[in-house]
Amino acid sequence: MCPVLGPYLRVLRTPGYPAPFLLGLSAALPIGMVGLALLLLAQQRSGSMGQAGLIPAAFGLGNAAGLFVQGRLIDRIGQTRVLVPASLLCSMALAAGVLPIWQDRFVLPGFAFLAGVAFPATISSMRVLTADLIADPRLRMSGYALLAVSFGLAMVAGPLLTSAVIAVSNPATAVVVAALVTGAGGLGFALTPASRRWQPGPAAVGGRPGVSAGLSTLVVANVALGFSGGVVAVALPAAALAQGAAAIAGVGFAARSVGDLVGGLAYGVIRWRSTKVRQLVVSLAAAAGASWFAAPVTGSLPVLFCVLLVGGGAGAAISIACSALLDDVAPTSSLTASYTLIVGVGLTANAAGNAVAGLVADSAGAAWAFAIAAMAVTAAVVWIWLRRHTLTSVT
C-alpha cells in the first residue's frame, strides 16, 4: 500500500462510507460551477460587471443563511428530511432563474439567493457522518483531510465543466447543468443508508455554540479570507473579459483549485514539527504574498493562473490549519456549530467581496480588485499574529 495514500484508502474501505462520500462529492461539484455560470450569465444580459457581481453575491449570501438554517434543522430532524426538499428547491430555483421570460433585473438575484439558501448542505453532513462512521480518532482525521481534498477536487472540475459548457453553448446552459447535478447529488446523498440512519445526539439537539476568544479569532480571520476569496472570484473573470477570453476564466479557477488539491494532499502527509498556530501564520503569509503578486500580472493570463495555483496551495494549508485549531478552541459539544459559524461568516464575507470587486473592476480594473484581495489576506495575517495567544485549548 502506498504510504502516502494508505490512510485515505483505509477511510474509503470503511463500511458505509464510500456511497455518501462519492455522492457528497458530486453534490459539491456545482459549488464550483454556480458562481461563475451565474456571473457570466448576468454579465451577458446586462453588459455590466458591476451588476453581474451582485448575482454570485446573492447566491453566496443565500448559501450562508441556508447553511445556518439547514444545520439547525438537521440537528433537530435528521439529514434526509432536510436535504431532500433542499436539493429539489435549489435545482428548481437555478433552472427557473435562466428562463428568458424574466425581464426585471432583480429577478435573477432573487433566484440566486433562493438557490443559495436551498443549496444542500452535503459537505457539512458528510463531516458529521465521518465522525459517526470512523471510530479510530487518527483515521477519522484522515477522513476529514480526505473530505477537504475532495472538495478541492470538486472546485477543479466545476469551473472546467462550466467553461466546457459555455464553449459549446452559453452561460444559461451551464446554470441548468449545475441545477441538474445539484439535485441528483443532493438527493442521492440524502437517500444513502448512512444519511438516513444518522440521528442527532442529545447535545446537538439542545446545544448552542460557545464562542471562545480563540474561536472569535478564527471567525474574524475567516471574514477577511472569505472577503478576499469573493474579490478574486469576480476579479479573475474580469481579467479574462478584459482580454476577450471569458470562456477560459474557468481555467484560472481550476488552477487555483488544483493548487488547493495538491496543497491539501501534501499538508496531510507531512509530519509537522511546528505548532498549529505557526503553521497557520506561515500559510497566511504565503497566501498574502501570492495575492500581492497577482495584481501586477493581470495582463498575462498564463502568469496569473500560475500565481493562483500557488495561492490555492497556501489556501489549502490555511483551511486545514484552521480546522485543526478548531478542536483546540471550541468545546467538543459545539464543534459542529462552531464549524458552521466559521463557514457561514466566510460565505457572507465572500458575497461582500463579490459585490465590491464588481464595482472596483468596472471602475478601476481587475488589477485593483486583486490588490484589495491582497490587503484582506494581509489583514488576516496581522490579526492571527496579534491574537495567537488566544488559540489554545479550552477543552
Side-chain angles (χ1 to χ4, degrees), residues 92-390:
M92 290 188 291
L94 286 173
V98 303
L99 294 176
I101 61 174
W102 310 118
Q103 300 298 326
D104 194 301
R105 64 192 178 99
F106 295 108
V107 170
L108 186 55
F111 277 118
F113 180 82
L114 179 59
V117 171
F119 196 91
T122 54
I123 295 298
S124 298
S125 298
M126 190 62 216
R127 190 180 189 275
V128 174
L129 287 184
T130 299
D132 193 55
L133 293 170
I134 303 176
D136 184 346
R138 288 177 295 182
L139 191 61
R140 191 183 304 143
M141 290 305 298
S142 298
Y144 292 148
L146 179 62
L147 187 58
V149 169
S150 71
F151 185 78
L153 182 61
M155 294 302 98
V156 173
L160 287 176
L161 180 57
T162 298
S163 289
V165 173
I166 292 174
V168 299
S169 184
N170 53 56
T173 303
V175 175
V176 173
V177 171
L180 294 174
V181 175
T182 299
L187 287 173
F189 178 92
L191 296 176
T192 59
S195 182
R196 286 189 286 112
R197 285 195 305 262
W198 183 85
Q199 294 295 327
V205 171
R208 295 180 177 229
V211 183
S212 65
L215 179 57
S216 298
T217 297
L218 293 180
V219 166
V220 173
N222 275 272
V223 169
L225 294 171
F227 180 83
S228 175
V231 171
V232 172
V234 174
L236 173 55
L241 283 167
Q243 299 186 46
I248 67 169
V251 178
F253 284 106
R256 194 179 184 201
S257 298
V258 167
D260 186 88
L261 177 64
V262 174
L265 285 171
Y267 193 98
V269 300
I270 295 175
R271 293 189 175 183
W272 298 98
R273 296 185 178 181
S274 60
T275 65
K276 287 180 281 189
V277 175
R278 183 168 296 177
Q279 293 169 36
L280 178 58
V281 171
V282 171
S283 301
L284 282 167
S291 297
W292 280 113
F293 194 74
V297 299
T298 54
S300 174
L301 292 181
V303 177
L304 178 61
F305 293 168
C306 291
V307 174
L308 292 172
L309 181 72
V310 175
I318 293 169
S319 177
I320 297 173
C322 283
S323 181
L325 282 166
L326 195 61
D327 290 333
D328 295 334
V329 303
T332 304
S333 60
S334 63
L335 201 56
T336 302
S338 300
Y339 174 77
T340 302
L341 176 63
I342 286 179
V343 174
V345 298
L347 287 172
T348 304
N350 189 278
N354 290 156
V356 170
L359 296 174
V360 173
D362 255 358
S363 60
W368 277 102
F370 275 107
I372 290 175
M375 293 177 195
V377 180
T378 302
V381 179
V382 175
W383 171 258
I384 289 292
W385 177 254
L386 294 176
R387 297 270 299 177
R388 63 190 184 279
H389 63 280
T390 66

Side-chain angles (χ1 to χ4, degrees), residues 27 70 73-74 77-92 118-122 125 179 182-192 195-196:
Q70 290 185 51
L73 288 174
I74 286 171
I77 62 177
Q79 295 182 359
T80 300
R81 293 166 67 184
V82 174
L83 295 178
V84 167
S87 300
L88 293 173
L89 179 58
C90 181
S91 294
M92 290 188 291
F119 196 91
T122 54
S125 298
T182 299
L187 287 173
F189 178 92
L191 296 176
T192 59
S195 182
R196 286 189 286 112

